[in-house]
Amino acid sequence: MREDTKEIQTAGTAQGKPALQAGTPARAKSASRSGTPAQGKSVPRVEGSSQGKPASQAGTAAQVRTASGAAGAGDREKRRSGKVAEETEKPVGAAVGRRRKKAAPPEEAIVLDRVVKTYQMGAPALNGISLKVRRGEFVFIVGDSGSGKSTLIKLLLRELLPTEGNITVNGTNVVRLRRRKIPKFRRGIGVVFQDFRLLKDRNVYDNVAFAQLVIQAKARDIRRNVPMMLSLVGLAGKYKAKPKQLSGGEQQRVALARALVNNPPILLADEPTGNLDPKNSWEIMKLLEEINEKGTTVLVVTHNREIVNAMKKRVITMKKGVIVSDEEQGAYIDED
């Protein structure tokens, strides 16, 4: 009888309360029974719920933060991908745009602009000459003694500075060239002298190799370049000979090989046949012509009328420090 009364009271009480209040304890009990605490684990706290905010609001805030973080990461990824795409779309040259491009060789190998050279005593050795020599050209400089030919060679080698005017060799302004840069500048110019200027205490091989040692060439390059150059001038079989064991023509060939072993773009030859007989003179000039055909600019100062007239190259005639004639396929002429 009492059990029936309790059931009637419990039922009445549940019916008398609002549905929300009546259902809440039941849901809370069922949640507590089926939830994580029954398994001995703690329930993760939702940020904001401990501050009295409803779970729905706390979840919304967490979702907003998660979404904003994801959006930020997405923006960063877009920026990265956009940058990569931009770099990918650039032309090949743009990737190395900041690197300095190697300048093309100048059209003129030698340029003299109103050059004057005056020594302490006497008239000017050069008196306002202007001259251009194109790359790959073969040029004879002729004239009587005292006409200024040797002074011109010394100016091109930066052994002297002009009193006035400007000189450019291989694209370098010789007048403004600093002293410490002169050795490097001269590496671009091969020189052959009338008196050979060989090292008498060294053999042929070492004389030619000396030019390679000056530029600090590697040993394997020297072993390759020196025999090749001696073969070019016809002295491959005399690489062990000393200069005193060679004829004048052979010594001049050694000097020529030494001037060319570093592959200079310009070759200056100051009276290269002055001490040679006609046969050796022609052999040397033939070598110079072959070298010129390979692209080297050749400038020859000479008194050899026969060779100049026969070779039909550009001929510049000087007299008393001025240029009196400049002819393509010219000839040796005398000026009174």
Side-chain angles (χ1 to χ4, degrees):
M1 187 70 182
R2 291 180 180 178
E3 292 176 359
D4 296 340
T5 304
K6 288 181 179 180
E7 289 177 3
I8 293 171
Q9 289 177 353
T10 302
T13 303
Q15 293 175 2
K17 292 182 180 179
L20 179 60
Q21 292 180 3
T24 301
R27 286 197 298 269
K29 288 181 181 180
S30 105
S32 63
R33 289 174 184 173
S34 61
T36 307
Q39 301 173 4
K41 298 181 181 179
S42 60
V43 179
R45 297 175 59 187
V46 179
E47 186 177 354
S49 61
S50 61
Q51 300 176 359
K53 295 181 180 180
S56 61
Q57 294 181 7
T60 303
Q63 292 174 359
V64 170
R65 282 191 292 272
T66 304
S68 62
D75 292 341
R76 287 193 296 272
E77 186 63 28
K78 286 181 181 179
R79 285 196 295 270
R80 292 194 194 100
S81 61
K83 186 176 181 180
V84 171
E86 183 180 354
E87 292 176 353
T88 306
E89 291 174 359
K90 288 181 180 180
V92 176
V96 294
R98 294 182 180 179
R99 297 179 183 177
R100 292 185 178 181
K101 295 181 179 179
K102 188 176 181 180
E107 185 65 27
E108 290 83 18
I110 298 171
V111 179
L112 284 81
D113 184 18
R114 294 168 291 184
V115 173
V116 176
K117 179 58 184 177
T118 304
Y119 296 104
Q120 294 181 354
M121 302 296 292
L126 295 178
N127 193 4
I129 68 171
S130 294
L131 170 67
K132 290 184 179 181
V133 178
R134 297 183 299 274
R135 285 190 299 113
E137 197 170 12
F138 193 118
V139 181
F140 283 115
I141 306 289
V142 302
D144 297 335
S145 297
S147 61
K149 304 186 303 298
S150 296
T151 299
L152 175 61
I153 294 295
K154 291 178 180 178
L155 288 171
L156 295 178
L157 288 173
R158 188 49 165 78
E159 292 182 4
L160 297 174
L161 279 171
T163 306
E164 297 178 17
N166 201 29
I167 302 173
T168 303
V169 180
N170 280 334
T172 299
N173 189 315
V174 177
V175 178
R176 298 178 182 177
L177 187 65
R178 295 182 180 180
R179 186 175 298 275
R180 62 184 175 83
K181 293 186 177 181
I182 293 176
K184 184 177 180 180
F185 161 74
R186 289 176 179 166
R187 295 174 189 174
I189 305 175
V191 187
V192 180
F193 299 100
Q194 179 179 352
D195 55 357
F196 315 141
R197 300 191 185 183
L198 300 178
L199 302 173
K200 297 180 180 180
D201 60 335
R202 304 190 186 186
N203 61 29
V204 169
Y205 182 97
D206 291 338
N207 266 277
V208 178
F210 181 78
Q212 292 260 276
L213 293 173
V214 169
I215 65 170
Q216 299 179 345
K218 296 180 180 179
R220 65 173 179 269
D221 294 333
I222 296 175
R223 289 193 297 268
R224 180 184 68 248
N225 295 336
V226 173
M228 180 177 62
M229 195 54 59
L230 288 176
S231 178
L232 176 65
V233 299
L235 292 176
K238 295 191 175 183
Y239 69 98
K240 290 184 179 181
K242 295 289 183 67
K244 64 181 180 180
Q245 298 173 310
L246 303 175
S247 67
E250 289 172 334
Q251 291 185 53
Q252 189 62 290
R253 288 167 181 260
V254 176
L256 183 57
R258 183 181 60 187
L260 295 173
V261 71
N262 292 333
N263 194 29
I266 296 177
L267 177 66
L268 304 180
D270 188 6
E271 296 287 356
T273 62
N275 293 328
L276 304 180
D277 57 64
K279 179 182 178 181
N280 284 319
S281 295
W282 274 110
E283 289 178 352
I284 293 299
M285 295 310 302
K286 182 63 176 177
L287 283 172
L288 291 176
E289 190 172 33
E290 290 176 0
I291 292 163
N292 172 247
E293 290 173 355
K294 295 180 179 180
T296 302
T297 304
V298 178
L299 190 69
V300 180
V301 173
T302 185
H303 285 104
N304 196 315
R305 182 191 306 270
E306 182 182 357
I307 287 176
V308 172
N309 292 341
M311 293 187 70
K312 298 297 182 182
K313 303 294 184 181
R314 179 183 175 188
V315 180
I316 297 174
T317 305
M318 297 182 65
K319 184 177 178 64
K320 295 181 179 180
V322 297
I323 295 175
V324 296
S325 176
D326 185 350
E327 297 182 358
E328 299 287 344
Q329 298 184 350
Y332 197 114
I333 59 176
D334 291 319
E335 293 289 336
D336 296 328

